Amino acid sequence: QKEVEQNSGPLSVPEGAIASLNCTYSDRGSQSFFWYRQYSGKSPELIMSIYSNGDKEDGRFTAQLNKASQYVSLLIRDSQPSDSATYLCAVTLTGNQFYFGTGTSLTVIP
Amino acid sequence: KAGVTQTPRYLIKTRGQQVTLSCSPISGHRSVSWYQQTPGQGLQFLFEYFSETQRNKGNFPGRFSGRQFSNSRSEMNVSTLELGDSALYLCASSLTGTPWEQYFGPGTRLTVT
């Protein structure tokens, strides 16, 4: 089992819809969770960080964390074509090892 | 505030050679991490440096090494290059390392022929 798992996609949503991206992790001791966005040919860009169970909202983005179920998700409301990118989930595991999932490719269709 | 910078941006090397990549973190950031990104394996953690000390290390062979200087700038070295080392090498900096809100540089694209 990989430390961090994501559906590779591709995920396609129409413009204006909600995009839902999911990530599961294997280490119950994980404490820090992050979502990064990576455009083709560019480096990853930090979107959200979340450390406590529940929801955290930042503009059109909402991160959700459920430590009991070991998953973290990212919701993008009112999706725009500019949101088309690969979204990477990252988790700090016990011992401060930092792992990325392989990413979910999102396409927002105008 | 200037972002993370990496040099060079592109490199072409021959199998068996060695290479050194450089990373300058965001001003005030003391933690620097290095990653290898390939289409097949995604982003893989190489190592993290904090205050000139390697604090964490991923599962890469000893051919991959790094160091950090007193001004937090970091270098990564790969010796005896193999074809499989062709990848995008990314550097990321953070204030203290934990929790790791990291900010990435543009990367160095290494091609080994």
Side-chain angles (χ1 to χ4, degrees), chain A residues 32 34 36 38 43-44 46 49 51 88 95-100, chain B residues 35 37 43 45 56-57 90 98-106:
Chain A
S32 308
F34 307 89
Y36 285 82
Q38 187 172 25
S43 57
L46 179 65
S49 58
Y51 310 107
L88 300 164
N96 289 332
Q97 288 280 336
F98 200 79
Y99 278 91
F100 280 85
Chain B
Y35 296 85
Q37 187 172 37
L43 262 171
F45 173 71
N56 287 291
K57 189 177 188 304
L90 291 159
T98 304
W100 288 11
E101 293 188 354
Q102 299 182 79
Y103 299 87
F104 283 84

mmCIF file of all heavy atoms in Angstrom, chain A residues 32 34 36 38 43-44 46 49 51 88 95-100, chain B residues 35 37 43 45 56-57 90 98-106:
data_model
loop_
_atom_site.group_PDB
_atom_site.id
_atom_site.type_symbol
_atom_site.label_atom_id
_atom_site.label_comp_id
_atom_site.label_asym_id
_atom_site.label_seq_id
_atom_site.Cartn_x
_atom_site.Cartn_y
_atom_site.Cartn_z
ATOM 1 N N SER A 32 -0.071 16.515 9.290
ATOM 2 C CA SER A 32 -0.131 17.696 8.417
ATOM 3 C C SER A 32 -0.487 17.254 7.004
ATOM 4 O O SER A 32 0.078 16.289 6.499
ATOM 5 C CB SER A 32 1.215 18.425 8.409
ATOM 6 O OG SER A 32 1.646 18.701 9.724
ATOM 7 N N PHE A 34 -1.646 18.646 2.939
ATOM 8 C CA PHE A 34 -1.520 19.786 2.033
ATOM 9 C C PHE A 34 -2.079 19.428 0.661
ATOM 10 O O PHE A 34 -2.027 18.283 0.227
ATOM 11 C CB PHE A 34 -0.039 20.169 1.871
ATOM 12 C CG PHE A 34 0.670 20.383 3.183
ATOM 13 C CD1 PHE A 34 1.279 19.328 3.827
ATOM 14 C CD2 PHE A 34 0.712 21.636 3.756
ATOM 15 C CE1 PHE A 34 1.925 19.502 5.040
ATOM 16 C CE2 PHE A 34 1.367 21.827 4.969
ATOM 17 C CZ PHE A 34 1.963 20.768 5.605
ATOM 18 N N TYR A 36 -1.565 20.739 -3.308
ATOM 19 C CA TYR A 36 -0.792 21.530 -4.249
ATOM 20 C C TYR A 36 -1.432 21.430 -5.623
ATOM 21 O O TYR A 36 -2.021 20.417 -5.992
ATOM 22 C CB TYR A 36 0.654 21.017 -4.339
ATOM 23 C CG TYR A 36 1.512 21.368 -3.158
ATOM 24 C CD1 TYR A 36 1.461 20.615 -1.992
ATOM 25 C CD2 TYR A 36 2.396 22.444 -3.211
ATOM 26 C CE1 TYR A 36 2.259 20.941 -0.907
ATOM 27 C CE2 TYR A 36 3.200 22.770 -2.129
ATOM 28 C CZ TYR A 36 3.120 22.013 -0.988
ATOM 29 O OH TYR A 36 3.920 22.332 0.087
ATOM 30 N N GLN A 38 -0.485 21.820 -9.726
ATOM 31 C CA GLN A 38 0.642 21.857 -10.650
ATOM 32 C C GLN A 38 0.135 21.961 -12.075
ATOM 33 O O GLN A 38 -0.494 21.035 -12.581
ATOM 34 C CB GLN A 38 1.539 20.617 -10.485
ATOM 35 C CG GLN A 38 2.818 20.703 -11.305
ATOM 36 C CD GLN A 38 3.794 19.577 -11.002
ATOM 37 O OE1 GLN A 38 3.415 18.504 -10.555
ATOM 38 N NE2 GLN A 38 5.078 19.823 -11.244
ATOM 39 N N SER A 43 6.054 24.130 -11.611
ATOM 40 C CA SER A 43 6.292 23.466 -10.335
ATOM 41 C C SER A 43 5.033 23.521 -9.471
ATOM 42 O O SER A 43 4.135 24.334 -9.729
ATOM 43 C CB SER A 43 7.469 24.117 -9.610
ATOM 44 O OG SER A 43 7.225 25.491 -9.421
ATOM 45 N N PRO A 44 4.935 22.662 -8.467
ATOM 46 C CA PRO A 44 3.742 22.656 -7.606
ATOM 47 C C PRO A 44 3.586 23.960 -6.831
ATOM 48 O O PRO A 44 4.568 24.571 -6.410
ATOM 49 C CB PRO A 44 4.005 21.478 -6.655
ATOM 50 C CG PRO A 44 4.991 20.616 -7.372
ATOM 51 C CD PRO A 44 5.852 21.559 -8.144
ATOM 52 N N LEU A 46 1.409 25.647 -3.574
ATOM 53 C CA LEU A 46 0.611 25.345 -2.393
ATOM 54 C C LEU A 46 -0.747 26.049 -2.466
ATOM 55 O O LEU A 46 -0.819 27.253 -2.654
ATOM 56 C CB LEU A 46 1.362 25.776 -1.135
ATOM 57 C CG LEU A 46 0.661 25.555 0.196
ATOM 58 C CD1 LEU A 46 0.458 24.058 0.463
ATOM 59 C CD2 LEU A 46 1.469 26.183 1.328
ATOM 60 N N SER A 49 -3.488 24.088 3.346
ATOM 61 C CA SER A 49 -2.955 23.199 4.359
ATOM 62 C C SER A 49 -4.052 22.968 5.387
ATOM 63 O O SER A 49 -4.888 23.852 5.627
ATOM 64 C CB SER A 49 -1.725 23.804 5.023
ATOM 65 O OG SER A 49 -2.047 25.059 5.615
ATOM 66 N N TYR A 51 -4.774 20.803 9.281
ATOM 67 C CA TYR A 51 -4.142 20.041 10.346
ATOM 68 C C TYR A 51 -5.150 19.397 11.303
ATOM 69 O O TYR A 51 -4.804 18.475 12.028
ATOM 70 C CB TYR A 51 -3.195 20.943 11.153
ATOM 71 C CG TYR A 51 -2.243 21.713 10.290
ATOM 72 C CD1 TYR A 51 -2.401 23.079 10.085
ATOM 73 C CD2 TYR A 51 -1.173 21.073 9.655
ATOM 74 C CE1 TYR A 51 -1.527 23.791 9.271
ATOM 75 C CE2 TYR A 51 -0.301 21.778 8.844
ATOM 76 C CZ TYR A 51 -0.484 23.139 8.653
ATOM 77 O OH TYR A 51 0.370 23.844 7.850
ATOM 78 N N LEU A 88 -2.111 17.714 -6.350
ATOM 79 C CA LEU A 88 -1.281 16.792 -5.580
ATOM 80 C C LEU A 88 -1.634 16.889 -4.099
ATOM 81 O O LEU A 88 -1.676 17.985 -3.539
ATOM 82 C CB LEU A 88 0.195 17.127 -5.758
ATOM 83 C CG LEU A 88 0.739 17.074 -7.181
ATOM 84 C CD1 LEU A 88 2.073 17.795 -7.267
ATOM 85 C CD2 LEU A 88 0.904 15.630 -7.621
ATOM 86 N N GLY A 95 7.649 10.715 11.775
ATOM 87 C CA GLY A 95 9.076 10.796 11.479
ATOM 88 C C GLY A 95 9.403 11.921 10.521
ATOM 89 O O GLY A 95 10.524 12.053 10.062
ATOM 90 N N ASN A 96 8.381 12.715 10.223
ATOM 91 C CA ASN A 96 8.555 13.888 9.370
ATOM 92 C C ASN A 96 8.923 13.562 7.939
ATOM 93 O O ASN A 96 9.513 14.380 7.251
ATOM 94 C CB ASN A 96 9.570 14.861 9.976
ATOM 95 C CG ASN A 96 9.011 15.543 11.202
ATOM 96 O OD1 ASN A 96 7.808 15.719 11.310
ATOM 97 N ND2 ASN A 96 9.870 15.910 12.121
ATOM 98 N N GLN A 97 8.610 12.346 7.481
ATOM 99 C CA GLN A 97 8.742 12.055 6.069
ATOM 100 C C GLN A 97 7.582 12.722 5.339
ATOM 101 O O GLN A 97 6.438 12.665 5.787
ATOM 102 C CB GLN A 97 8.696 10.535 5.842
ATOM 103 C CG GLN A 97 9.945 9.812 6.298
ATOM 104 C CD GLN A 97 11.068 9.913 5.286
ATOM 105 O OE1 GLN A 97 10.846 10.128 4.098
ATOM 106 N NE2 GLN A 97 12.291 9.767 5.744
ATOM 107 N N PHE A 98 7.885 13.334 4.229
ATOM 108 C CA PHE A 98 6.895 14.089 3.473
ATOM 109 C C PHE A 98 6.609 13.341 2.183
ATOM 110 O O PHE A 98 7.505 13.130 1.383
ATOM 111 C CB PHE A 98 7.464 15.478 3.173
ATOM 112 C CG PHE A 98 6.433 16.506 2.833
ATOM 113 C CD1 PHE A 98 5.700 17.108 3.830
ATOM 114 C CD2 PHE A 98 6.224 16.882 1.522
ATOM 115 C CE1 PHE A 98 4.764 18.078 3.522
ATOM 116 C CE2 PHE A 98 5.293 17.836 1.209
ATOM 117 C CZ PHE A 98 4.552 18.448 2.211
ATOM 118 N N TYR A 99 5.354 12.936 1.990
ATOM 119 C CA TYR A 99 5.009 12.155 0.815
ATOM 120 C C TYR A 99 3.931 12.836 -0.008
ATOM 121 O O TYR A 99 2.961 13.370 0.539
ATOM 122 C CB TYR A 99 4.506 10.766 1.216
ATOM 123 C CG TYR A 99 5.619 9.792 1.503
ATOM 124 C CD1 TYR A 99 6.114 9.657 2.790
ATOM 125 C CD2 TYR A 99 6.175 9.013 0.500
ATOM 126 C CE1 TYR A 99 7.138 8.776 3.060
ATOM 127 C CE2 TYR A 99 7.202 8.126 0.763
ATOM 128 C CZ TYR A 99 7.676 8.020 2.048
ATOM 129 O OH TYR A 99 8.688 7.147 2.317
ATOM 130 N N PHE A 100 4.110 12.767 -1.315
ATOM 131 C CA PHE A 100 3.098 13.258 -2.254
ATOM 132 C C PHE A 100 2.367 12.082 -2.889
ATOM 133 O O PHE A 100 2.956 11.026 -3.150
ATOM 134 C CB PHE A 100 3.759 14.057 -3.380
ATOM 135 C CG PHE A 100 4.113 15.470 -3.015
ATOM 136 C CD1 PHE A 100 5.304 15.750 -2.380
ATOM 137 C CD2 PHE A 100 3.256 16.506 -3.317
ATOM 138 C CE1 PHE A 100 5.640 17.050 -2.049
ATOM 139 C CE2 PHE A 100 3.584 17.813 -2.998
ATOM 140 C CZ PHE A 100 4.778 18.078 -2.358
ATOM 141 N N TYR B 35 13.291 17.190 -4.251
ATOM 142 C CA TYR B 35 12.412 16.172 -4.785
ATOM 143 C C TYR B 35 12.821 15.828 -6.216
ATOM 144 O O TYR B 35 13.321 16.675 -6.948
ATOM 145 C CB TYR B 35 10.954 16.645 -4.816
ATOM 146 C CG TYR B 35 10.372 16.917 -3.461
ATOM 147 C CD1 TYR B 35 10.541 18.143 -2.836
ATOM 148 C CD2 TYR B 35 9.651 15.929 -2.793
ATOM 149 C CE1 TYR B 35 10.010 18.385 -1.581
ATOM 150 C CE2 TYR B 35 9.116 16.164 -1.544
ATOM 151 C CZ TYR B 35 9.303 17.394 -0.948
ATOM 152 O OH TYR B 35 8.771 17.628 0.291
ATOM 153 N N GLN B 37 11.007 14.454 -9.673
ATOM 154 C CA GLN B 37 9.704 14.228 -10.286
ATOM 155 C C GLN B 37 9.872 13.603 -11.658
ATOM 156 O O GLN B 37 10.561 14.138 -12.528
ATOM 157 C CB GLN B 37 8.896 15.519 -10.410
ATOM 158 C CG GLN B 37 7.466 15.272 -10.889
ATOM 159 C CD GLN B 37 6.603 16.512 -10.834
ATOM 160 O OE1 GLN B 37 7.053 17.616 -11.095
ATOM 161 N NE2 GLN B 37 5.326 16.330 -10.480
ATOM 162 N N LEU B 43 6.235 12.749 -7.620
ATOM 163 C CA LEU B 43 7.168 13.495 -6.784
ATOM 164 C C LEU B 43 7.710 12.606 -5.682
ATOM 165 O O LEU B 43 6.957 12.098 -4.859
ATOM 166 C CB LEU B 43 6.453 14.676 -6.131
ATOM 167 C CG LEU B 43 6.580 16.049 -6.770
ATOM 168 C CD1 LEU B 43 5.620 17.015 -6.103
ATOM 169 C CD2 LEU B 43 7.998 16.567 -6.634
ATOM 170 N N PHE B 45 10.492 12.276 -2.503
ATOM 171 C CA PHE B 45 11.292 13.045 -1.560
ATOM 172 C C PHE B 45 12.718 12.510 -1.526
ATOM 173 O O PHE B 45 12.953 11.313 -1.357
ATOM 174 C CB PHE B 45 10.642 12.933 -0.182
ATOM 175 C CG PHE B 45 11.420 13.523 0.954
ATOM 176 C CD1 PHE B 45 11.546 14.892 1.089
ATOM 177 C CD2 PHE B 45 12.016 12.712 1.894
ATOM 178 C CE1 PHE B 45 12.260 15.448 2.145
ATOM 179 C CE2 PHE B 45 12.722 13.238 2.958
ATOM 180 C CZ PHE B 45 12.843 14.608 3.083
ATOM 181 N N ASN B 56 16.048 14.801 7.286
ATOM 182 C CA ASN B 56 15.259 13.672 6.797
ATOM 183 C C ASN B 56 15.809 13.225 5.457
ATOM 184 O O ASN B 56 16.357 14.027 4.700
ATOM 185 C CB ASN B 56 13.790 14.063 6.618
ATOM 186 C CG ASN B 56 13.071 14.229 7.932
ATOM 187 O OD1 ASN B 56 12.841 13.268 8.650
ATOM 188 N ND2 ASN B 56 12.732 15.467 8.263
ATOM 189 N N LYS B 57 15.630 11.942 5.181
ATOM 190 C CA LYS B 57 16.153 11.399 3.938
ATOM 191 C C LYS B 57 15.154 10.413 3.370
ATOM 192 O O LYS B 57 14.577 9.607 4.102
ATOM 193 C CB LYS B 57 17.494 10.700 4.200
ATOM 194 C CG LYS B 57 18.241 10.276 2.954
ATOM 195 C CD LYS B 57 19.584 9.655 3.330
ATOM 196 C CE LYS B 57 20.454 9.396 2.100
ATOM 197 N NZ LYS B 57 19.789 8.544 1.094
ATOM 198 N N LEU B 90 13.229 19.259 -8.106
ATOM 199 C CA LEU B 90 12.575 20.405 -7.489
ATOM 200 C C LEU B 90 13.115 20.640 -6.088
ATOM 201 O O LEU B 90 13.328 19.705 -5.327
ATOM 202 C CB LEU B 90 11.065 20.179 -7.421
ATOM 203 C CG LEU B 90 10.328 20.196 -8.759
ATOM 204 C CD1 LEU B 90 8.990 19.482 -8.641
ATOM 205 C CD2 LEU B 90 10.119 21.627 -9.217
ATOM 206 N N THR B 98 8.506 21.973 9.907
ATOM 207 C CA THR B 98 7.352 21.232 10.429
ATOM 208 C C THR B 98 6.371 22.194 11.085
ATOM 209 O O THR B 98 6.748 22.885 12.017
ATOM 210 C CB THR B 98 7.797 20.184 11.477
ATOM 211 O OG1 THR B 98 8.758 19.331 10.893
ATOM 212 C CG2 THR B 98 6.617 19.356 11.948
ATOM 213 N N PRO B 99 5.081 22.295 10.753
ATOM 214 C CA PRO B 99 4.522 21.623 9.587
ATOM 215 C C PRO B 99 5.090 22.169 8.295
ATOM 216 O O PRO B 99 5.530 23.301 8.250
ATOM 217 C CB PRO B 99 3.025 21.928 9.706
ATOM 218 C CG PRO B 99 2.961 23.205 10.445
ATOM 219 C CD PRO B 99 4.103 23.168 11.412
ATOM 220 N N TRP B 100 5.039 21.367 7.267
ATOM 221 C CA TRP B 100 5.797 21.684 6.069
ATOM 222 C C TRP B 100 4.974 22.397 5.018
ATOM 223 O O TRP B 100 4.584 21.801 4.024
ATOM 224 C CB TRP B 100 6.375 20.399 5.497
ATOM 225 C CG TRP B 100 7.493 19.854 6.315
ATOM 226 C CD1 TRP B 100 7.866 20.259 7.549
ATOM 227 C CD2 TRP B 100 8.369 18.814 5.971
ATOM 228 N NE1 TRP B 100 8.932 19.519 7.978
ATOM 229 C CE2 TRP B 100 9.261 18.644 7.037
ATOM 230 C CE3 TRP B 100 8.501 18.009 4.815
ATOM 231 C CZ2 TRP B 100 10.267 17.682 7.007
ATOM 232 C CZ3 TRP B 100 9.506 17.056 4.792
ATOM 233 C CH2 TRP B 100 10.377 16.915 5.869
ATOM 234 N N GLU B 101 4.717 23.658 5.206
ATOM 235 C CA GLU B 101 4.135 24.459 4.133
ATOM 236 C C GLU B 101 5.281 24.880 3.235
ATOM 237 O O GLU B 101 5.982 25.854 3.507
ATOM 238 C CB GLU B 101 3.389 25.656 4.706
ATOM 239 C CG GLU B 101 2.160 25.250 5.499
ATOM 240 C CD GLU B 101 1.305 26.416 5.918
ATOM 241 O OE1 GLU B 101 1.726 27.568 5.684
ATOM 242 O OE2 GLU B 101 0.226 26.185 6.466
ATOM 243 N N GLN B 102 5.460 24.112 2.183
ATOM 244 C CA GLN B 102 6.626 24.288 1.344
ATOM 245 C C GLN B 102 6.300 25.066 0.095
ATOM 246 O O GLN B 102 5.209 24.949 -0.459
ATOM 247 C CB GLN B 102 7.185 22.916 0.938
ATOM 248 C CG GLN B 102 7.618 22.082 2.115
ATOM 249 C CD GLN B 102 8.194 20.768 1.661
ATOM 250 O OE1 GLN B 102 9.330 20.668 1.228
ATOM 251 N NE2 GLN B 102 7.389 19.735 1.741
ATOM 252 N N TYR B 103 7.279 25.806 -0.372
ATOM 253 C CA TYR B 103 7.146 26.601 -1.581
ATOM 254 C C TYR B 103 8.243 26.162 -2.548
ATOM 255 O O TYR B 103 9.429 26.156 -2.191
ATOM 256 C CB TYR B 103 7.246 28.091 -1.243
ATOM 257 C CG TYR B 103 6.141 28.508 -0.304
ATOM 258 C CD1 TYR B 103 6.295 28.385 1.069
ATOM 259 C CD2 TYR B 103 4.926 28.958 -0.799
ATOM 260 C CE1 TYR B 103 5.273 28.725 1.934
ATOM 261 C CE2 TYR B 103 3.895 29.311 0.061
ATOM 262 C CZ TYR B 103 4.069 29.181 1.429
ATOM 263 O OH TYR B 103 3.042 29.498 2.275
ATOM 264 N N PHE B 104 7.803 25.826 -3.746
ATOM 265 C CA PHE B 104 8.705 25.203 -4.704
ATOM 266 C C PHE B 104 9.370 26.204 -5.639
ATOM 267 O O PHE B 104 8.791 27.224 -6.006
ATOM 268 C CB PHE B 104 7.940 24.181 -5.559
ATOM 269 C CG PHE B 104 7.665 22.892 -4.852
ATOM 270 C CD1 PHE B 104 6.567 22.763 -4.017
ATOM 271 C CD2 PHE B 104 8.508 21.802 -5.012
ATOM 272 C CE1 PHE B 104 6.310 21.574 -3.359
ATOM 273 C CE2 PHE B 104 8.261 20.613 -4.360
ATOM 274 C CZ PHE B 104 7.157 20.503 -3.527
ATOM 275 N N GLY B 105 10.577 25.873 -6.031
ATOM 276 C CA GLY B 105 11.248 26.582 -7.093
ATOM 277 C C GLY B 105 10.806 26.049 -8.443
ATOM 278 O O GLY B 105 10.009 25.109 -8.521
ATOM 279 N N PRO B 106 11.328 26.632 -9.527
ATOM 280 C CA PRO B 106 10.893 26.226 -10.870
ATOM 281 C C PRO B 106 11.450 24.888 -11.332
ATOM 282 O O PRO B 106 10.950 24.305 -12.290
ATOM 283 C CB PRO B 106 11.432 27.349 -11.758
ATOM 284 C CG PRO B 106 12.611 27.871 -11.007
ATOM 285 C CD PRO B 106 12.268 27.751 -9.557
#
